[in-house]
Amino acid sequence: MVNFNRRQTLGMLGAATATGLAAPAIAQNKKIVVGALRFTSHSASFIGVERGYFADAGLDVELRFFQAAQPMAVAIASGDVDYAVTAISGGLISLADKGAIKVIGGGLSEEPGIDGQKILASDAAFQAGMTTPADMDGKTFGMSTAGSSFHYMGSKVAAAEGIDLSFKPLQKVGAIIGALKTGQIDAWSIVPHIAKPLAGSGAVHIIGNISDYLPNYQVTTVFTSTGNAENQRDQTAAFIDGFSKGVSDYNSTMIDKAGGDEGVNEMVKLIHKYVYTDRPLEKASPSIINGTMRLNEGAKLNAASVRDQLEWFQSEGLVDDGIGMETLVDTSYVETYEA
């Protein structure tokens, strides 16, 4: 992938995007609200705020934090939040079908060679012999809600292994973690900055990788209201500009190690303002570093993965069969690719 300098524009990503980002016709310090989770995978938004990339694009960004993807989608549809990064869910697709939401870019992707999301087993299930994903037949898999990314991932693993899973909705990530630790559920999948510390505690065990089943999975997407996508094009292009500069900083520093250990330490301090804030920096740092996965440069979007997710939701009867990619995705802001 190409790494852009942190002050570089997205001009090379395509004529439509370049035109929108060259000189956004918006008032300076325009207030917008950006939704996020306290995950390292949302670091581009944190960096965009902390290093002034959104401000440079004319935006005064307020970050608003959520505990799951579905409420964030609802907040976008209601106008309480302007832009957000989260996984595709059945709720998000249904809101897109109602004309309320559009996916406009890519956030986080599974990538070969990059340590990605882990499949976890409770200690009780592990000790009873569930040591690989193939052993999960008849077991209980945690998810936030039906139609969540956890539901999608677990189902894809089960289909690949030819096994049956039951899914238990627990609403919030914290509740899922508690249920896994206490053996109320047998398995779950989550990003490495959460998975690895859990495994280190001994109460949970890593038994597989999502990348083995979904090697190019578009884990999260950038999305906004249909109104913003269609009627606030300069503002939306400005948001993508600031966000993408945050992406480039994150990738070059945390994966490519362009700034060496000093650069990594500086970035970890920045991220720690938003992630693992209840821990001192020295204890939070290993988890933040463990969570490093490459973000989509220029907010590029893996259309093949998004299409696969849409088709899975439809096959499960979670969204209407008639919804097409053009209903869910506005491809005019970033480069798309098939992988």
Side-chain angles (χ1 to χ4, degrees):
M1 291 187 179
V2 178
N3 289 313
F4 298 101
N5 180 276
R6 64 175 60 177
R7 295 290 177 180
Q8 190 173 355
T9 68
L10 292 175
M12 64 184 67
L13 290 182
T17 303
T19 301
L21 296 181
I26 61 173
Q28 288 298 300
N29 301 317
K30 184 169 183 181
K31 185 80 172 179
I32 64 168
V33 179
V34 174
L37 303 178
R38 293 191 183 275
F39 286 5
T40 57
S41 55
H42 288 251
S43 292
S45 295
F46 310 152
I47 297 164
V49 170
E50 293 289 330
R51 293 190 168 168
Y53 299 141
F54 289 128
D56 290 348
L59 302 174
D60 177 11
V61 169
E62 173 195 340
L63 293 173
R64 188 166 300 170
F65 291 93
F66 294 79
Q67 294 187 342
Q70 208 101 307
M72 204 183 307
V74 173
I76 289 280
S78 68
D80 291 337
V81 171
D82 295 296
Y83 302 93
V85 178
T86 196
I88 291 176
S89 64
L92 188 150
I93 296 171
S94 294
L95 287 168
D97 189 36
K98 291 179 172 64
I101 279 178
K102 287 286 187 182
V103 169
I104 56 171
L108 174 73
S109 290
E110 290 283 349
E111 178 184 336
I114 301 295
D115 205 14
Q117 296 186 98
K118 303 299 180 186
I119 302 168
L120 302 176
S122 71
D123 186 56
F126 187 83
Q127 298 303 333
M130 197 185 84
T131 59
T132 72
D135 300 322
M136 296 192 301
D137 190 33
K139 301 299 185 181
T140 302
F141 195 94
M143 63 180 181
S144 51
T145 60
S148 64
S149 60
F150 303 122
H151 192 183
Y152 169 75
M153 287 186 285
S155 293
K156 283 289 185 173
V157 172
E161 294 289 357
I163 60 175
D164 290 321
L165 282 176
S166 61
F167 291 86
K168 186 170 184 176
L170 292 161
Q171 305 307 317
K172 297 178 181 178
V173 167
I176 301 173
I177 291 172
L180 191 67
K181 282 183 172 181
T182 57
Q184 296 174 64
I185 58 172
D186 302 305
W188 186 40
S189 59
I190 194 61
V191 288
H193 81 89
I194 293 177
K196 290 180 180 180
L198 284 173
S201 72
V204 170
H205 302 269
I206 294 171
I207 62 170
N209 297 294
I210 287 296
S211 60
D212 292 337
Y213 301 91
L214 295 164
N216 296 292
Y217 173 33
Q218 185 71 64
V219 182
T220 63
T221 60
V222 182
F223 68 108
T224 188
S225 66
T226 302
N228 279 341
E230 294 180 351
N231 305 320
Q232 300 293 331
R233 294 197 59 83
D234 292 324
Q235 173 185 292
T236 301
F239 171 77
I240 291 288
D241 182 21
F243 179 84
S244 297
K245 288 171 182 173
V247 168
S248 283
D249 266 16
Y250 182 82
N251 287 342
S252 64
T253 300
M254 299 300 291
I255 293 180
D256 302 324
K257 305 294 173 58
D261 290 342
E262 183 179 348
V264 170
N265 291 336
E266 179 186 353
M267 183 65 75
V268 167
K269 287 179 184 177
L270 185 159
I271 295 169
H272 182 241
K273 293 181 181 181
Y274 302 95
V275 179
Y276 294 122
T277 57
D278 58 339
R279 304 180 190 177
L281 177 61
E282 61 271 17
K283 290 188 176 181
S285 181
S287 295
I288 292 171
I289 292 171
N290 280 339
T292 302
M293 293 173 66
R294 192 182 298 276
L295 305 178
N296 293 64
E297 285 287 348
K300 289 194 300 183
L301 182 70
N302 182 352
S305 176
V306 173
R307 188 179 301 108
D308 180 74
Q309 292 177 65
L310 173 60
E311 290 172 354
W312 177 82
F313 285 111
Q314 291 172 327
S315 71
E316 293 290 312
L318 293 165
V319 301
D320 189 89
D321 282 344
I323 301 172
M325 281 285 284
E326 69 282 355
T327 300
L328 178 61
V329 181
D330 183 333
T331 60
S332 65
Y333 287 98
V334 304
E335 180 182 349
T336 61
Y337 66 104
E338 302 275 335

